[in-house]
Amino acid sequence: MTDASASPKLFEPAGLGPLTLPHRLVMAPLTRSRATADGVPTPLMATYYAQRASAGLIIAEASAPNAVGRTYPNTTAIHGPGHVAGWRRVTEAVRARGGLMFLQIQHGGRVGHPDTSGLTPVAPSPVPLPETIHTPSGLRPSVVPREMSVEDIKNTVADFAGAARNAIEAGFEGVEVHSANGHLLHQFLAQGTNRRTDAYGGSAAGRIRFVIEVAEAVVGALGPGRVGLRLSPGNTVNGIEEGDTEEIYGALVPALADSGLAYVHLGYADPDHPVFQQIRKDWPGTLIANPVLPADRIPDDGGIRHGERLLAAGADLIALGRPFLANPDLIHRMRTGAPMNQVRDAYLMYVGGETGYTDYPALPVVE
């Protein structure tokens, strides 16, 4: 059995910008595809997030800052009044249970399709996703994205800032800019998808420029301490080939050190990897680390031991995904050593409805 005394630091309060979190366990953003066709969060989503309000911080699922940034069917957005109203229902439900929320803002770039957004995807260069993509009509071949002009880039930076302001209007405490997992900002960082020869391509200094401009614009819109940035160094999902991982993050992270960001959030964090260790040295602020858990099951302790290793390596907060997905009362189970729910069939993550979403059981709390 595991209890809180086995990991006192993990369950200690922690500061994050102007916030004080009740403990160091964060719910990672998880795409669940329960929004309407045009990206409006539904009442069912309010139930789902409220069930998980005991997380130290919830980083809500990726939301598009504009129409062309949509990725898959029934994913959320944050660029229109309906999106703001839908998300406000969610934040109010979570706040009523004492929870805190950030919203992740994600532009899919080439990870998109006209059948979903009605628009041709845009990207740093006209390099298509090397695989099929989910659309409302099923799996379809990817399309060649349109190369973004400098004007497109400037407009997209403004869209991120506008989406961040919408998130605050919707009741979020802050936002996380998504520069990971093969989406638009990550596409600018990577040599395989960024073949530009202008100021936004070529050397590491050119390829990090768009990410820096987005981060600075969003911090400028919300103020210091209310914006995070998610990175996934070395991650090859969605056909990404960075080419020079150590160089690109060795340039990016120090360039953001004085930007006013509240945190950097590392996906697939490995405390033994030199890139993780270098980012920890280069980043002066809060570091959120998302550990790699076994693919076939949630650990019996919910991820406590993985989190402890990352804390010992310098992380400040630990983000968990699937453990929160399957255990709405994850913190209670961790504190008491109770058994963990396992994730049911993986396809249930994205099919819509209550099954595999709001129907995971919570344990009774004995007073």
Side-chain angles (χ1 to χ4, degrees):
M1 298 289 281
T2 302
D3 58 32
S5 64
S7 182
K9 187 175 181 181
L10 201 58
F11 295 99
E12 289 175 352
L16 181 66
L19 303 176
T20 299
L21 310 187
H23 51 77
R24 297 176 185 270
L25 289 158
V26 173
M27 180 175 169
L30 296 159
T31 296
R32 302 304 309 277
S33 301
R34 259 70 175 190
T36 65
D38 56 355
V40 175
T42 60
L44 184 64
M45 292 173 59
T47 299
Y48 168 78
Y49 281 111
Q51 288 175 341
R52 290 153 179 81
S54 60
L57 173 72
I58 294 173
I59 306 174
E61 63 204 82
S63 288
N66 53 27
V68 76
R70 291 284 302 282
T71 52
Y72 307 112
N74 302 106
T75 55
T76 61
I78 188 63
H79 56 83
H83 306 134
V84 172
W87 275 121
R88 188 179 296 117
R89 286 192 295 267
V90 175
T91 60
E92 288 175 349
V94 170
R95 186 169 289 110
R97 295 199 179 184
L100 299 168
M101 296 188 80
F102 271 42
L103 177 66
Q104 187 183 77
I105 304 176
Q106 171 193 280
H107 191 303
R110 71 175 184 170
V111 185
H113 197 279
D115 286 3
T116 301
S117 68
L119 300 165
T120 299
V122 297
S125 301
V127 181
L129 188 72
E131 55 201 50
T132 56
I133 188 169
H134 288 279
T135 76
S137 55
L139 283 174
R140 297 289 303 278
S142 301
V143 299
V144 177
R146 179 174 62 82
E147 179 170 311
M148 296 174 73
S149 67
V150 172
E151 182 179 5
D152 290 330
I153 290 172
K154 300 299 184 186
N155 289 339
T156 303
V157 170
D159 287 342
F160 268 90
R165 287 189 287 265
N166 286 343
I168 298 304
E169 184 181 347
F172 289 95
E173 304 289 345
V175 301
E176 176 177 282
V177 173
H178 195 29
S179 183
N181 297 359
H183 296 288
L184 181 65
L185 274 68
H186 200 183
Q187 291 161 28
F188 269 87
L189 295 178
Q191 291 180 342
T193 43
N194 186 344
R195 300 178 183 176
R196 304 175 72 96
T197 57
D198 65 2
Y200 291 92
S203 67
R207 284 180 285 124
I208 68 175
R209 181 177 175 181
F210 178 58
V211 177
I212 291 171
E213 288 183 358
V214 170
E216 290 180 345
V218 176
V219 172
L222 302 191
R226 303 184 79 176
V227 181
L229 179 71
R230 194 176 204 209
L231 306 171
S232 57
N235 186 8
T236 59
V237 70
N238 287 317
I240 281 291
E241 297 177 4
E242 290 176 342
D244 56 353
T245 297
E246 293 187 11
E247 183 178 359
I248 199 73
Y249 294 99
L252 177 64
V253 174
L256 292 167
D258 297 323
S259 64
L261 287 173
Y263 65 82
V264 165
H265 179 183
L266 294 183
Y268 305 93
D270 178 356
D272 296 325
H273 198 285
V275 173
F276 174 92
Q277 295 167 0
Q278 189 61 50
I279 288 174
R280 177 65 285 184
K281 291 177 182 176
D282 290 341
W283 179 245
T286 297
L287 184 67
I288 302 179
N290 177 210
V292 179
L293 300 181
D296 59 339
R297 64 177 285 106
I298 295 168
D300 292 341
D301 66 358
I304 286 178
R305 289 175 180 81
H306 289 78
E308 288 174 335
R309 286 190 65 227
L310 285 162
L311 290 178
D316 300 291
L317 303 172
I318 304 301
L320 298 172
R322 288 176 295 126
F324 274 110
L325 182 159
N327 296 275
D329 56 346
L330 177 65
I331 304 306
H332 172 64
R333 290 173 188 259
M334 283 181 158
R335 288 184 182 275
T336 61
M340 295 287 158
N341 296 327
Q342 293 297 320
V343 176
R344 300 203 291 274
D345 292 346
Y347 81 92
L348 294 175
M349 293 186 188
Y350 311 112
V351 297
E354 298 177 4
T355 304
Y357 190 59
T358 55
D359 63 343
Y360 280 103
L363 296 172
V365 178
V366 179
E367 299 293 339

